[in-house]
Amino acid sequence: MGKRLFINIKELYGILPLEVTRLQGEMMDRVESLPNAYLLVEEGKIAAFGKMENLSLDEMKGVEVVDLTGKRVMPAFCDSHTHIVYAKSREQEFMDKIAGLSYEEIAKRGGGILNSADVLRNTSEDELYRISCERLEEMMEKGTGAMEIKSGYGLNLESEMKMLRVIKRMKESYPILIKSTFLGAHAVGREYVGRQQEYVDMVCREMIPAVAAESLADYVDVFCDKGFFDVPQTAQILSAAAKYGIRPKIHANELDVSGGVQVGVDYGAVSVDHLERTTEVEMKYLKGSSTMPVMLPGASFFLGMPYGNAKEFIKSGLAVALASDYNPGSSPSGDMRFVWALGCIKMHLTPNQAFNAVTINGAYAMGVADKVGSITVGKEAKLIVTKEIPSLGFIPYCHHTPFIERVII
Ligand SMILES: [Zn+2]
């Protein structure tokens, strides 16, 4: 890896100082940019950028030069919430839902988390790795440069470890930045149905120490919601993980006002995710905390659920990140450009606000804002070069017109 100089960039977007790791409130509507710019990449990092008129080509002898006349450059997307390691898609469930079947009937026909777990347990690690990589590669082509991936379709020790080992292999094999999250408490494993507390005890006693012993998880997650895990159980799991220094990211307030936001903030969660159902109480609790609220419009779109009230969050001075929630049941897409568009079309965010939500704030929500998410000297050069489009806002507006010329990861 040597030096590469991109010249004649029509406009360079998402410029931030290194010390800015998230954008909150009014700041979310600002996207710092530079027209007619150059950008120098050295050893995979952003080494310099500036106006073309200030570039001295004499100093760039021997550097590979790429002319981007007419094209725009922005940081690659940062997708802080995905479940892309799974064994089998669930289009049968999709059709059953269209036919109006109930959740119970769908589960009987092979839908839901527990059925995903059954299939995953019977899939080898190599096969699981192969099909998960196909999803990862598609996401990279669509402009994602950093992402978080969760376990949670194993629901027993052996299969949760299998999922986390697959994520580890992906980390080692791809240039994209990956963070892994242990989500043993995604649902109660089939063997423990009706014995939920025993399952939680087992997660704390067996799974977390095993995961920590192999350093397989950067974060711990719990589905803290109605019908899944309650606040005391969530606190029990978070405190077991805290003993190993593993910080939480939480599924909260998707199905009900669950108390998940508060328990997440209390345990220093890096993010609290979903938030389709939140009140002023949750917003107040988040104020002044280091926790990023993450909303997942792809799941709202796919399930016909309410969207998170991002506008109110931002109005109250909070930050918001948007992520894909790529998973087989409620959001079978990892297209962050679509997430950006949904942020504008359905959540009424400005293109600028939603841009910051899918770049720097997404990076913050997985603890990598010091490495990616903006155009900053020293950060990794994970970039999207656009086709010749009229503006940044054109990307979420004309949301199905191909806009990527190339992705640099
Ligand atoms: Zn999720």
Side-chain angles (χ1 to χ4, degrees), residues 386-402:
T386 74
K387 293 182 182 296
E388 294 191 28
I389 54 171
S391 68
L392 190 69
F394 179 86
I395 301 172
Y397 154 71
C398 237
H399 60 90
H400 269 84
T401 301

Side-chain angles (χ1 to χ4, degrees), residues 81-83 150 183 186 221 251 254 274 296 325 327 330:
H81 184 135
T82 84
H83 307 252
K150 301 173 195 295
L183 177 56
H186 195 194
D221 195 345
H251 279 72
E254 175 185 2
H274 267 293
L296 311 168
D325 195 20
N327 78 84
S330 62

Side-chain angles (χ1 to χ4, degrees), residues 250-281:
I250 294 277
H251 279 72
N253 297 52
E254 175 185 2
L255 309 170
D256 202 359
V257 179
S258 68
V261 171
Q262 290 87 334
V263 68
V265 171
D266 287 347
Y267 280 85
V270 63
S271 73
V272 287
D273 301 23
H274 267 293
L275 314 178
E276 287 85 352
R277 295 165 213 274
T278 45
T279 66
E280 299 226 323
V281 178

